[in-house]
Amino acid sequence: MVIVYESKTGFTKRYAEMLAAKTGLKVFRVKEISKISPDEEIIFLGWMKVGKIQDLDKLRKFNVKAVCGSGTGRTAEPDTETVIARNKIEGMPFFYLRGGCLPLKEIKGMDRIMLSLFVKMLKSRKDKDERTEEAIAIIENGFDGVKEENLADVLEWINAKRAEGCV
Ligand SMILES: Cc1cc2nc3c(=O)[nH]c(=O)nc-3n(C[C@H](O)[C@H](O)[C@H](O)COP(=O)(O)O)c2cc1C
């Protein structure tokens, strides 16, 4: 088994490298996919944009066994079931990893425009709950939620597969 990841601002990359260090599995970026045999089992990590796990579609013909999505919410947004359906990964282990984001002013291009509109929409809400206030602060000021302990479920899954002699 190998680790493949896609990361735009580096948070998912940190998780991929942490996972590689803890398991000894090799780690590749999606652009290096040609180095991997189509039979090789893959655990994929990708950052999420509007609930879509980026670049997962580039691995459809590969042997992906589990998927991790990294986002800024406390839990997968809008919710785990929607993320699974939107990414067509029904029946596959899915792990949500809380990543992080750069302050809005450091984000460029279309991503910045999308996030600016999103913050505007959140700010316009009349009754802002704690999670809405948190989301606004995270996008405007940046946030780093990468923690080794967030990989616990993924490591458990890898170890269980190893115990079965599959990895
Ligand atoms: C345009 C845009 C849309 C995003 N949409 C979501 C989302 O739907 N859900 C979420 O949890 N995070 C969302 N995020 C946040 C990123 O997924 C999160 O910051 C991720 O950890 C970044 O990973 P990276 O540093 O590896 O690129 C979005 C970020 C951007 C720029």
Side-chain angles (χ1 to χ4, degrees):
M1 176 171 284
V2 296
I3 301 162
V4 179
Y5 73 93
E6 185 53 35
S7 176
K8 182 137 187 198
T9 52
F11 295 93
T12 315
K13 178 175 193 259
R14 277 164 57 202
Y15 274 125
E17 287 173 352
M18 244 181 230
L19 197 58
K22 285 201 159 284
T23 57
L25 297 176
K26 280 192 183 162
V27 59
F28 298 88
R29 286 200 83 120
V30 169
K31 66 178 181 206
E32 298 175 297
I33 194 76
S34 61
K35 294 181 186 169
I36 300 169
S37 139
D39 305 328
E40 182 72 80
E41 294 190 337
I42 291 173
I43 175 160
F44 180 73
L45 285 75
W47 70 285
M48 298 203 299
K49 187 165 170 175
V50 202
K52 192 95 170 71
I53 301 165
Q54 300 301 290
D55 277 5
L56 178 58
D57 285 341
K58 292 187 181 164
L59 274 78
R60 294 287 175 199
K61 290 190 177 135
F62 286 81
N63 190 13
V64 178
K65 291 293 183 196
V67 172
C68 304
S70 120
T72 49
R74 290 184 203 179
T75 53
E77 283 167 1
D79 57 72
T80 304
E81 289 67 34
T82 309
V83 171
I84 287 172
R86 200 169 285 173
N87 292 283
K88 300 185 181 68
I89 50 171
E90 290 90 348
M92 197 179 283
F94 168 70
F95 304 96
Y96 176 72
L97 299 173
R98 193 173 201 191
C101 58
L102 299 176
L104 186 56
K105 60 177 181 333
E106 289 178 30
I107 296 176
K108 294 186 178 70
M110 189 48 89
D111 285 352
R112 179 162 168 171
I113 294 169
M114 283 173 76
L115 284 180
S116 302
L117 290 172
F118 187 57
V119 162
K120 217 172 174 179
M121 186 274 287
L122 291 177
K123 283 185 167 174
S124 71
R125 282 188 190 163
K126 280 211 177 72
D127 298 310
K128 292 193 258 312
D129 60 12
E130 189 206 339
R131 287 186 79 139
T132 307
E133 297 285 6
E134 186 189 56
I136 294 169
I138 280 176
I139 295 169
E140 288 190 329
N141 307 323
F143 168 75
D144 183 355
V146 177
K147 285 191 202 137
E148 223 170 80
E149 67 206 50
N150 293 343
L151 287 170
D153 290 348
V154 187
L155 284 168
E156 198 179 310
W157 178 80
I158 293 173
N159 288 335
K161 265 187 91 67
R162 281 185 160 160
E164 287 167 17
C166 301
V167 185

